[in-house]
Amino acid sequence: MDRRAFLLSASAATLAAPRLGHGQAARPLRFVPQANLTSLDPIWTTANVTRNHGFLVYDTLYGMDAQFRPQPQMASGHTVSDDRLTVTITLRDGLKWHDGEAVRAADCVASIGRWMKRNPSGQQLERALEEVSAPDDRTIRFRLKKPFPLLFQALASPVNPVAFMMPERIARTDPFQQIRETIGSGPFRFAPREFNSGSMVVYERNPDYVPNPAAASFTAGGKQAHFERLEWHIIVDASTAAGALQTGEIDWYEQPPPEIQQLLRRNRNVALDAIDPLPLTGILRFNHLHPPFNDKRVRQAFLPAINQEDFMQAIVGTDPSLYVTGSGIFTPGTPLASEEGLEPLRGPRSLDRARALLREAGYTNQPMRLIGPTDILAPAAMTQVCADLLRRMQVNADVVITDWGTVVQRRASREPLERGGWSMLLTSFSSTDFMDPAGHFPLRGNGLNSWPGWPTIPRLEELRDQWFDAPDLAAQQRIAREMQRVAMDEVPFIPVGAYRSVTAFRRNLADRVPGFAIFWNLRRT
């Protein structure tokens, strides 16, 4: 959600990496993340801050290169049978967990099983799967009911939750319960004794890590840990974080607000750059389980009132180069983006029309609860805009503002309002999340198995299945247009615009930070 800063490493292909002296390596890299790390389980939650944590601690069978192509990562390679129903993956030699035990294929099988229960592409894979097994310690075998052409893309995808590999004993945890132990095989080890949620998260270089021999590219290839220690400092106050960056007390501030960005641009020791070359999409998500938003007419009534420019300017300011309006359910500028069905979001905005549609839907001042954070830029800004919109729409709104970690925990509740439930929330997703239906959480219509909000929209699920089986891009685009038409009618969520995210860092880290601020291979001059 929000900014897909993977916080781990900078790809050698896109990040200048000056030489590093021993003294510089001994100094920790100090980082201010977008939000507090409240969950350590990157399978249980879709919070980006937890995924960023995951990319430090864990590794994946396949990584995604800068051209969005899957490449072997923990895997040394694979074979596919002629009928495409058997896929065999072989692990690289020398892989170890942080507790010193060897990585086994059985560990990966258990990890894949847990991931498939929570990831949209994984859920689709599970439906096509006869069995995934470990014939020996280095071999993972998929037996499929039908070909699944996107298998390697799914295993490599950076979309939450990522297919991180864990030891079997941990991966056997119920996917709807959080893990209690953080052991991976990635380039950094989590330091549990120094973990203080709301204050500090510490990672130490993994001396046993065996980097992939391929050149680094996005989340694929060799991940070199050039720092002995990484420190995440949870600093909620933007001015405090900006001051620490300017004095060199911290090295990297992931998500400075617009007014702070203007201040930092005047400091010659600080650089600002886009985290993601493509825009992130903000959404207004409804809870479909309980009134009033279990009635699609009430959801539709909000469409005439949504001014995407208001939401986006609250995040990035008034510079039109930093936001996109008129955006739909897919990332602007990508092959599946279109204008199909977006008429309700375009043209003059009308609160009177929205109020009239609410009356026609039978809305009689039933309560609705908006939840949102104070401590993570994009959701906080969009929530404030929405709170003002609810006031102007003259609805019975309860606005509950807390920290982001509490929002993430609370949005998982399916309880009605009288038991602490919620009606609406706003958040944003990275460009990769909304590029296609494969990992598009909010676009699912599979009821209680879908992302919080839990819409039941069978037609979206049918179209999604068709998309996975589409023979070419033209067919995928046709299906995507129909999905957008259905989504704008059923309203699982409302896209409230797209924006370009900016990060700030000390110039001695590198000449620039690439899309998705990544930590491995990153050096200090």
Side-chain angles (χ1 to χ4, degrees), residues 62-82:
Y62 287 78
M64 192 72 76
D65 69 17
Q67 286 73 47
F68 299 105
R69 299 172 303 193
Q71 303 291 348
Q73 188 63 24
M74 295 172 71
S76 62
H78 59 261
T79 61
V80 180
S81 64
D82 291 341

Side-chain angles (χ1 to χ4, degrees), residues 138-400:
R138 290 190 58 208
T139 305
I140 304 160
R141 180 164 298 151
F142 291 84
R143 289 197 302 112
L144 299 164
K145 300 173 186 175
K146 64 175 185 177
F148 192 78
L150 299 179
L151 173 61
F152 302 113
Q153 285 88 338
L155 293 174
S157 174
V159 174
N160 279 316
V162 175
F164 291 123
M165 297 297 106
M166 303 178 180
E168 182 178 14
R169 69 179 186 280
I170 299 174
R172 292 295 181 192
T173 303
D174 184 326
F176 295 93
Q177 300 293 325
Q178 297 191 61
I179 59 175
R180 298 180 181 274
E181 189 178 8
T182 304
I183 299 290
S185 64
F188 291 92
R189 298 183 299 194
F190 175 68
R193 293 183 180 179
E194 297 189 71
F195 176 53
N196 185 356
S197 182
S199 178
M200 173 83 81
V201 190
V202 173
Y203 305 90
E204 298 168 339
R205 188 179 69 84
N206 174 17
D208 295 325
Y209 185 69
V210 180
N212 188 292
S217 179
F218 197 25
T219 68
K223 299 175 182 178
Q224 303 287 345
H226 294 300
F227 290 91
E228 293 294 327
R229 179 180 169 95
L230 305 178
E231 296 176 358
W232 287 14
H233 292 261
I234 313 302
I235 303 176
V236 176
D237 181 72
S239 296
T240 302
L245 179 65
Q246 292 183 92
T247 60
E249 295 172 72
I250 64 168
D251 301 291
W252 199 335
Y253 182 10
E254 183 186 1
Q255 193 167 303
E259 64 276 12
I260 295 296
Q261 292 176 27
Q262 296 305 313
L263 170 69
L264 295 176
R265 289 185 195 280
R266 296 196 289 269
N267 189 315
R268 64 181 183 180
N269 294 317
V270 174
L272 287 91
D273 204 353
I275 282 184
D276 190 334
L278 291 169
L280 296 78
T281 298
I283 69 166
L284 168 59
R285 180 66 159 183
F286 300 105
N287 188 332
H288 293 238
L289 297 184
H290 304 292
F293 294 114
N294 59 344
D295 186 337
K296 83 171 183 179
R297 296 175 302 167
V298 177
R299 303 192 298 271
Q300 291 170 336
F302 274 70
L303 290 168
I306 296 296
N307 185 332
Q308 291 189 344
E309 189 171 65
D310 290 345
F311 286 91
M312 295 301 98
Q313 288 187 354
I315 302 172
V316 297
T318 57
D319 183 348
S321 69
L322 295 178
Y323 64 87
V324 179
T325 58
S327 60
I329 65 173
F330 295 108
T331 301
T334 60
L336 299 189
S338 75
E339 298 183 358
E340 195 76 32
L342 295 182
E343 293 82 4
L345 288 174
R346 297 182 173 181
R349 305 288 81 201
S350 174
L351 287 173
D352 289 339
R353 176 60 177 157
R355 295 187 197 107
L357 288 174
L358 280 174
R359 289 193 297 270
E360 292 174 17
Y363 177 73
T364 54
N365 212 38
Q366 296 97 321
M368 53 182 73
R369 179 172 296 136
L370 170 66
I371 62 172
T374 59
D375 56 347
I376 181 168
L377 174 60
M382 292 187 293
T383 299
Q384 292 299 327
V385 174
C386 188
D388 178 65
L389 178 63
L390 295 175
R391 178 186 59 78
R392 292 185 290 122
M393 288 180 68
Q394 301 173 358
V395 298
N396 181 10
D398 175 28
V399 180
V400 179

